[in-house]
Amino acid sequence: VKKAFYNGQRKIVTEFRLRVQNDWHWVRIEMDLLSDDAGSLRSLAYICDIDNEKQQHDEISMAEHNQLVLRRKFGKAVGDIYIRVGEIDLNADKIYHYKLDRNDFLPEADSRSFTELSLYFAGHIVHPNQRAEFERTFSYAQLLCAARENVDKIEQRFQLDLDENKHYIWCNVLVRFFCDDNGKNYAMALIQNIDNQMSTQNTEIQNLEKSRNHLQTALRNLEQSKIRK
């Protein structure tokens, strides 16, 4: 205390646990360091019980920690399922892209309006044979209309060249609509890679087609053999 006083410090605050009857309580002590006319050190100390405050702080800290863990788990799970995640502010024609940073999704505003981005997406990312369909389905005007009509979601499959290297993959494009307590309309845009799923589905269809052809051939042969008899 003397060292602190002579170094110019005039207040000391510390927290510790103090036994009160049969229990331990967190307390805070605040000590004002003073000097009398003779220059001698004098102190005025206050002790207050902060046990409830400490418990509330610990509960809030734990809740914040749990929330962070949940957000990171959610971010990791979404990152495993969807290759693109965005939030569309339908009232302002803006879009925010969510970037995965340490398993936590962080929003990043696009410099373009959603209208501009949607037109660019249709003209450069979507397969040429599907561009007109994409423009009809996911234009700003169409999404705004769907939100006002309380549509839950719009979902459709497209071939997309997300890296713009002329390599198209099948993707499921999903837009879900929401409205917050202030009446703000927004939507979450999610893109899922389903190329392997579509490839497997196409293989199954081809195998079924082959089986059907074999069956038809076998039936024709059977009919012809009956005619010859």
Side-chain angles (χ1 to χ4, degrees):
V1 174
K2 287 184 178 180
K3 184 178 179 180
F5 176 76
Y6 291 121
N7 285 336
Q9 190 172 342
R10 293 296 178 264
K11 193 179 190 69
I12 296 176
V13 179
T14 187
E15 297 175 358
F16 56 91
R17 300 191 75 181
L18 180 69
R19 190 171 185 83
V20 179
Q21 295 179 351
N22 296 323
D23 200 4
W24 290 94
H25 280 234
W26 277 100
V27 298
R28 178 185 296 122
I29 182 170
E30 298 183 9
M31 183 180 294
D32 293 322
L33 306 181
L34 311 168
S35 62
D36 57 20
D37 295 338
S40 300
L41 173 62
R42 295 287 184 270
S43 63
L44 185 61
Y46 306 89
I47 299 178
C48 58
D49 189 328
I50 59 168
D51 201 61
N52 290 337
E53 178 185 328
K54 271 288 188 181
Q55 288 181 9
Q56 291 174 0
H57 180 271
D58 291 344
E59 289 172 359
I60 292 172
S61 297
M62 181 58 68
E64 290 176 343
H65 172 73
N66 291 338
Q67 186 66 23
L68 177 61
V69 170
L70 285 173
R71 282 208 324 270
R72 288 181 173 174
K73 286 181 178 179
F74 171 78
K76 183 65 168 60
V78 171
D80 289 341
I81 298 172
Y82 299 104
I83 52 180
R84 297 284 177 89
V85 179
E87 180 179 335
I88 308 167
D89 183 342
L90 294 171
N91 291 2
D93 191 15
K94 293 288 295 180
I95 182 166
Y96 301 84
H97 304 284
Y98 280 83
K99 306 294 184 181
L100 191 60
D101 182 16
R102 298 178 183 177
N103 295 331
D104 197 10
F105 271 107
L106 302 176
E108 181 179 293
D110 197 302
S111 58
R112 298 162 291 185
S113 67
F114 174 75
T115 297
E116 293 170 332
L117 180 64
S118 180
L119 289 173
Y120 179 87
F121 209 86
H124 296 80
I125 307 298
V126 180
H127 192 280
N129 295 339
Q130 299 175 314
R131 286 172 181 170
E133 180 64 22
F134 184 89
E135 288 180 357
R136 284 194 299 269
T137 307
F138 293 109
S139 68
Y140 174 63
Q142 179 63 30
L143 297 188
L144 193 59
C145 179
R148 289 170 176 169
E149 293 177 355
N150 297 319
V151 173
D152 178 57
K153 66 179 180 178
I154 297 178
E155 187 173 12
Q156 196 156 332
R157 296 174 177 180
F158 293 95
Q159 287 180 287
L160 305 180
D161 176 19
L162 293 171
D163 295 324
E164 298 188 61
N165 58 4
K166 304 303 179 183
H167 176 66
Y168 291 91
I169 61 173
W170 277 102
C171 293
N172 188 55
V173 181
L174 169 65
V175 174
R176 286 190 175 276
F177 299 93
F178 302 91
C179 183
D180 64 18
D181 295 336
N182 298 318
K184 176 184 176 182
N185 291 308
Y186 68 98
M188 295 302 297
L190 308 162
I191 298 178
Q192 181 184 10
N193 184 344
I194 59 169
D195 203 56
N196 290 336
Q197 176 185 335
M198 292 295 291
S199 177
T200 301
Q201 182 176 318
N202 289 336
T203 300
E204 291 175 351
I205 291 174
Q206 290 173 4
N207 291 336
L208 287 173
E209 184 66 21
K210 289 179 181 178
S211 298
R212 187 177 68 86
N213 291 337
H214 289 157
L215 178 60
Q216 288 178 343
T217 300
L219 290 173
R220 283 196 300 268
N221 292 337
L222 179 61
E223 289 295 327
Q224 289 174 359
S225 65
K226 289 180 179 179
I227 293 173
R228 285 195 295 269
K229 291 179 180 179

